[in-house]
Amino acid sequence: MLTELKSKIRDVKDFPKKGINFKDITTLIKDPKALQQVIEIFYVKYKDSKIDVVTGIEARGFILGSILAYKLGVGFVPLRKPGKLPAKIISAEYDLEYGTDTLCVHEDAILKGENVLIVDDLIATGGSVQVACNLIEKLDAKIITVAVLVELEFLKGRDKVKSYDIFSILKY
Ligand code: AMP
């Protein structure tokens, strides 16, 4: 099944800049069976983990994260780029595989002590997951796990977030 799922991901060379092999998940999520399989894998893994809230990292983390939240019967909190969230926020900066960026969250979005599941499409260098974890920690919530569809193992992203449980479905 994993080989079949991998075949649904499109490799785009030199996007968004030269030297990056972009893993395009749009070709996977438009496939109904593949999308269902991915959500089902996450669901089975986390259904008994007492998750209170799912957070997703902008923008592709919103897609898988919100479907998973619905399936788990919990709410969804977006971790967004600057200038998008209207109420009081906290933020942190991070390095991407191809640039730098900032993530923000509403300071009242997650309650102290809540069990949080962080979702993203892909972990590359681990910078964005690290900042997501920092934001959740600042809210005094508990990070149960980080779930991603794709892990670029050669970039050793999980070394940046060693203290957290990281689960990936497809590894490269
Ligand atoms: P990083 O902070 O380096 O782990 O980068 C992870 C974020 O950047 C993910 O949310 C991805 O959406 C995006 N990203 C980084 N590298 C790639 C890649 N090679 N293919 C697709 N998306 C990528």
Side-chain angles (χ1 to χ4, degrees), residues 2 9 41 61 67 70 79 84 101 109 123 141 153 163-164 170:
L2 295 184
I9 291 182
I41 291 169
I67 305 172
Y70 177 82
L79 308 183
K84 306 282 188 188
D101 226 330
I123 182 166
E153 286 186 304
S163 50
Y164 301 105
L170 305 175

Side-chain angles (χ1 to χ4, degrees), residues 15-16 20-25 57-61 94-98 120-130 152 154-155 157 160:
F15 181 87
I20 303 293
N21 183 24
F22 195 85
K23 296 285 179 200
D24 178 15
I25 65 152
I57 303 175
E58 184 166 350
R60 286 177 295 269
Y94 67 106
D95 292 320
L96 274 174
E97 189 190 352
Y98 42 77
D120 205 1
D121 65 327
L122 180 145
I123 182 166
T125 64
S128 51
V129 166
Q130 186 182 37
L152 303 183
F154 57 93
L155 291 172
K160 257 198 194 129

Side-chain angles (χ1 to χ4, degrees), residues 85-146:
L85 292 170
K88 204 163 176 205
I89 56 155
I90 56 166
S91 64
E93 214 176 64
Y94 67 106
D95 292 320
L96 274 174
E97 189 190 352
Y98 42 77
T100 60
D101 226 330
T102 304
L103 271 186
C104 310
V105 66
H106 276 144
E107 65 169 20
D108 60 357
I110 299 168
L111 303 177
K112 194 173 173 175
E114 279 191 316
N115 291 334
V116 178
L117 164 57
I118 299 172
V119 177
D120 205 1
D121 65 327
L122 180 145
I123 182 166
T125 64
S128 51
V129 166
Q130 186 182 37
V131 170
C133 291
N134 289 345
L135 285 176
I136 304 306
E137 293 279 6
K138 278 188 193 175
L139 295 173
D140 286 330
K142 187 171 173 218
I143 298 161
I144 297 297
T145 190
V146 180

Side-chain angles (χ1 to χ4, degrees), residues 64-78:
L64 300 174
S66 53
I67 305 172
L68 181 60
Y70 177 82
K71 182 126 178 144
L72 288 169
V74 301
F76 177 79
V77 170

